[in-house]
Amino acid sequence: MGGSLRTTGPLACLALSVALASAACRQEPPAASAPQPVVAEPVAPVAAQELQVVAAPDPAAVPLPAWSPPPVELQPEQVRDALKRAGVALAEDRLYQAADDAIPLYLAVLAVQPQQREARRGLEKARTRLLASVRALLQQPEEQRKALAQAATQAAVLVYLAPEGRAELELQQRVQAARRLLALNRSGEEALRGGSPALAAGAFAQVLELEPGNSRARQGLAAVESDLIRQAEDAAAHADFNAALEWLQRASRIREDAPTVADARVRIEAMRMAQLAALRDGGLRDLTSPKGLKAAREKLEQALRIAAPGDAAVAVLRQRIDLVAHYGSFRPGQVFSDALQDGGRGPQMIVVPHGGFQMGAGYGEPGASDAERPQHYVRFDRGFAISITEVTVAEFGRFVAATNARPRATRRGHSIVYDERSGNFVRRNGADWQAGYNGAKAPPNNPVMHVSVRDAEAYAAWLSAQTGRHYRLPSEAEFEYALRAGTTGRYPWGDAGVPPEGSGNFTGSLDVSPSGRHWKNAFLGYGDGYWGAAPAASFRANAWGLHDMAGNLSEWVADCWHASYRRAPPDGAAWYNPGCRQRVVRGGNWANAPEQTRAAWRLSQDSDVTSARIGFRLVRGI
């Protein structure tokens, strides 16, 4: 068994009474400090940089309990009876706990008769059984605390019997190590129950350093990992995905490449995506409900807090909110026409983008006047829809027929037309909205001219009643904004002194009248093939899809005339004074001088004026 019964110490004193031998002659194992308990204190939530697995307090090596044989008073004449009782106790496996157990009786016999062979053989059998029992207890997986306590007591008995035995020393070390591992495992479990997973992980890690295959520590680490994953999922369920990632980061340090952490990442990302999809869908519903923009923006803020950069769901919701905020149910560049009550369709409209621009002319711009200054910034926080072309003869005629209207030129009986014979603009009787630039009947697809600003406003009011939408003349700022279409040059097409080919109906040196006339003040080298107004949309649209903003006909806008832009509205609203007579005309026309084709050019006209050079288009709110 690797050792022998001790022959020094207590056995040397057995001639004395057993009581005295037990009290005065037993060699005590060296004293050890009392083990310090591990206390698991609950910890408050900590920041990410603090989330490290920390070492658990290392419990001191638990000393083996000292054992002394229960006192047995034995006289020489009682030896035979004691041996008999010891044999019965040995057979019943009662070895060391009471005075009538085998080992105390055999020791008492040897104290009286040190060479008594039966007692020595019985004591050796008891020792062998104790060695086997301690080894079995060390392997017992259930009730480890109770098993190790029993093993410690039995090891103390063995150490008492054979303090120099190798088997006894080995078992003593194993029992001490097992009790230390048990203390660490228990401290880890208490820390985990107390809400300190970092301390728990440290304790279990120490166990595995000492015994890599320790199943209880492995289960403990798995429990720590599960607890951290649960914390991560709880955080994700409350939309705190930063905290969820921190918890997962902690969990990933418990066991390298653990599939459970990878699976949890997938689940939490799925939770994130589900929450983002719900916020996106809820925000989109809000945009079409009475809750409107405010509720949708609140959901967008929630989505931004949990989304990864560039998340598609957030991008969709943000884009739709921006569209609704700036365009209602429309989108920039959208073309539409509203249905009329009589079964027809209104003018084709296009949605221009919201934004801002510098309105007017700079102080250094050639040909500019003080009426076009000061240049000032105007911003449109919401887009608007504007007619793609000038209102046509056919469109205006539908209004006249439906309302029996008598526009200004019709009532007055004349308008201003171009006279081919003299080359001048003259008053001609009978010219009204049905006439073209020279007084002859105009084709239905030509822009309507010979209308006053009040005629244009009457058409807008009729169209609003027909469609249930609000139509009006554009403000001066809206007109210039749409005319420039994002450009900043002197002309609508930039700073070049000649218009790009096909860009519009302007006064070009290559234009020829029916009688062979040429313009005296024109864009050199430019010709558009028309003397007079051209059919709507005959030329290329600008960058925002609008035709003839800078040419064909000049156009009425909603503003009253002001001699400069001082105190002009910064939001692009019409600058209107009730009862004003002088109104504003914007945009070049087929008979304008080049300087009057500049993007900032503006003209004052009496509200009753009708002419072959002035038409209009409309704006509709969205």
Side-chain angles (χ1 to χ4, degrees):
M1 298 297 293
S4 59
L5 290 172
R6 57 194 293 166
T7 55
T8 60
L11 292 182
C13 302
L14 286 177
L16 302 174
S17 70
V18 173
L20 291 175
S22 301
C25 300
R26 179 173 55 82
Q27 288 184 343
E28 297 287 350
S33 59
Q36 299 299 313
V38 177
V39 180
E41 297 181 355
V43 294
V46 291
Q49 60 268 26
E50 300 171 348
L51 300 179
Q52 303 293 328
V53 174
V54 296
D58 188 8
V62 182
L64 293 174
W67 182 81
S68 298
V72 177
E73 294 184 5
L74 191 65
Q75 301 299 322
E77 64 273 16
Q78 296 174 315
V79 166
R80 179 52 48 193
D81 180 66
L83 287 172
K84 182 178 179 181
R85 287 188 288 118
V88 172
L90 184 64
E92 294 176 353
D93 210 26
R94 292 184 288 105
L95 299 182
Y96 60 88
Q97 293 178 331
D100 204 40
D101 288 347
I103 292 176
L105 288 171
Y106 285 136
L107 288 175
V109 169
L110 290 174
V112 176
Q113 298 180 8
Q115 303 303 320
Q116 218 292 327
R117 292 184 178 179
E118 184 178 349
R120 285 183 172 277
R121 286 195 301 270
L123 204 57
E124 181 64 26
K125 289 180 181 179
R127 172 176 170 269
T128 300
R129 288 187 187 179
L130 283 178
L131 286 170
S133 176
V134 172
R135 293 189 180 103
L137 289 170
L138 286 173
Q139 300 299 320
Q140 181 176 314
E142 298 84 13
E143 298 184 349
Q144 283 186 312
R145 188 179 184 184
K146 181 178 179 180
L148 288 179
Q150 188 176 354
T153 300
Q154 293 179 5
V157 175
L158 289 169
V159 168
Y160 181 91
L161 296 176
E164 305 299 329
R166 286 185 299 173
E168 284 76 6
L169 292 176
E170 176 192 352
L171 280 180
Q172 181 186 41
Q173 293 171 357
R174 288 178 61 189
V175 169
Q176 287 175 317
R179 296 185 77 185
R180 182 186 180 202
L181 295 179
L182 177 62
L184 283 169
N185 274 329
R186 287 176 59 81
S187 70
E189 292 158 358
E190 290 172 3
L192 186 58
R193 285 192 296 270
S196 299
L199 285 174
F204 296 133
Q206 288 184 53
V207 172
L208 292 174
E209 286 180 8
L210 298 171
E211 186 181 322
N214 189 281
S215 60
R216 186 167 179 174
R218 287 181 177 276
Q219 292 172 0
L221 281 182
V224 171
E225 183 183 277
S226 296
D227 181 74
L228 295 174
I229 290 173
R230 180 186 59 77
Q231 299 273 21
E233 291 176 336
D234 286 348
H238 290 85
D240 189 351
F241 287 91
N242 288 333
L245 292 178
E246 291 173 356
W247 286 113
L248 285 181
Q249 186 62 27
R250 295 181 70 180
S252 69
R253 292 195 291 268
I254 301 302
R255 297 187 300 168
E256 187 175 355
D257 299 327
T260 50
V261 176
D263 292 344
R265 288 188 190 279
V266 173
R267 290 196 303 275
I268 286 175
E269 187 59 26
M271 294 170 70
R272 184 207 300 269
M273 298 307 294
Q275 291 183 31
L276 285 173
L279 288 169
R280 176 201 62 204
D281 295 343
L284 294 178
R285 285 193 298 271
D286 289 343
L287 291 174
T288 58
S289 75
K291 294 181 179 179
L293 276 172
K294 182 179 179 181
R297 282 174 172 153
E298 289 173 353
K299 289 182 173 62
L300 177 60
E301 290 176 5
Q302 295 176 45
L304 287 171
R305 284 196 293 269
I306 67 177
D311 183 87
V314 172
V316 167
L317 182 56
R318 190 204 301 272
Q319 182 183 43
R320 288 292 300 278
I321 286 175
D322 287 344
L323 285 173
V324 170
H326 300 305
Y327 307 103
S329 59
F330 293 86
R331 63 182 184 277
Q334 181 175 344
V335 175
F336 68 93
S337 65
D338 289 323
L340 305 180
Q341 291 178 2
D342 63 9
R345 307 292 301 187
Q348 270 206 324
M349 313 293 289
I350 190 167
V351 179
V352 300
H354 79 289
F357 77 116
Q358 289 292 334
M359 182 176 179
Y363 283 99
E365 181 174 314
S369 69
D370 289 341
E372 300 165 12
R373 301 187 181 103
Q375 195 175 53
H376 57 291
Y377 184 73
V378 175
R379 177 164 186 83
F380 298 98
D381 288 329
R382 192 172 176 86
F384 55 91
I386 188 168
S387 307
I388 291 177
T389 69
E390 294 150 333
V391 174
T392 66
V393 171
E395 290 167 337
F396 193 80
R398 186 178 294 118
F399 151 68
V400 172
T403 62
N404 294 316
R406 288 176 55 79
R408 178 62 176 165
T410 303
R411 295 197 311 271
R412 190 168 51 194
H414 60 78
S415 187
I416 304 299
V417 302
Y418 176 77
D419 179 53
E420 179 67 28
R421 185 172 60 180
S422 65
N424 294 320
F425 284 88
V426 299
R427 188 174 79 176
R428 179 161 296 170
N429 293 332
D432 67 359
W433 65 271
Q434 301 173 83
Y437 79 99
N438 58 3
K441 187 173 179 62
N445 62 341
N446 263 27
V448 68
M449 57 190 82
H450 307 297
V451 288
S452 70
V453 69
R454 292 190 175 90
D455 295 333
E457 289 171 339
Y459 172 76
W462 171 79
L463 195 61
S464 299
Q466 281 283 305
T467 62
R469 306 295 180 178
H470 180 53
Y471 284 84
R472 56 179 174 80
L473 288 175
S475 70
E476 188 176 359
E478 288 170 336
F479 189 94
E480 185 174 332
Y481 179 65
L483 178 147
R484 289 183 180 274
T487 65
T488 58
R490 182 185 181 200
Y491 296 103
W493 56 84
D495 290 319
V498 178
E501 183 179 356
S503 58
N505 184 6
F506 311 117
T507 52
S509 65
L510 303 182
D511 291 338
V512 182
S513 77
S515 63
R517 292 181 181 276
H518 292 270
W519 298 113
K520 292 181 180 180
N521 186 11
F523 290 107
L524 295 177
Y526 183 78
D528 50 54
Y530 288 90
W531 192 277
S538 296
F539 299 92
R540 186 170 60 248
N542 72 6
W544 288 352
L546 298 167
H547 295 273
D548 303 321
M549 291 293 297
N552 218 24
L553 294 180
S554 298
E555 300 179 26
W556 291 111
V557 294
D559 301 60
C560 294
W561 175 257
H562 294 82
S564 76
Y565 286 135
R566 298 188 187 280
R567 297 184 301 277
D571 61 356
W575 197 0
Y576 184 79
N577 309 107
C580 70
R581 289 283 305 177
Q582 295 300 111
R583 303 291 285 271
V584 179
V585 168
R586 293 300 304 260
N589 61 68
W590 61 274
N592 262 14
E595 286 185 354
Q596 296 172 319
T597 311
R598 292 177 301 104
W601 178 77
R602 60 197 296 258
L603 179 68
S604 172
Q605 290 283 277
D606 187 278
S607 57
D608 282 338
V609 163
T610 61
S611 166
R613 294 191 287 183
I614 302 175
F616 72 97
R617 73 180 71 216
L618 298 180
V619 157
R620 173 200 187 286
I622 56 174

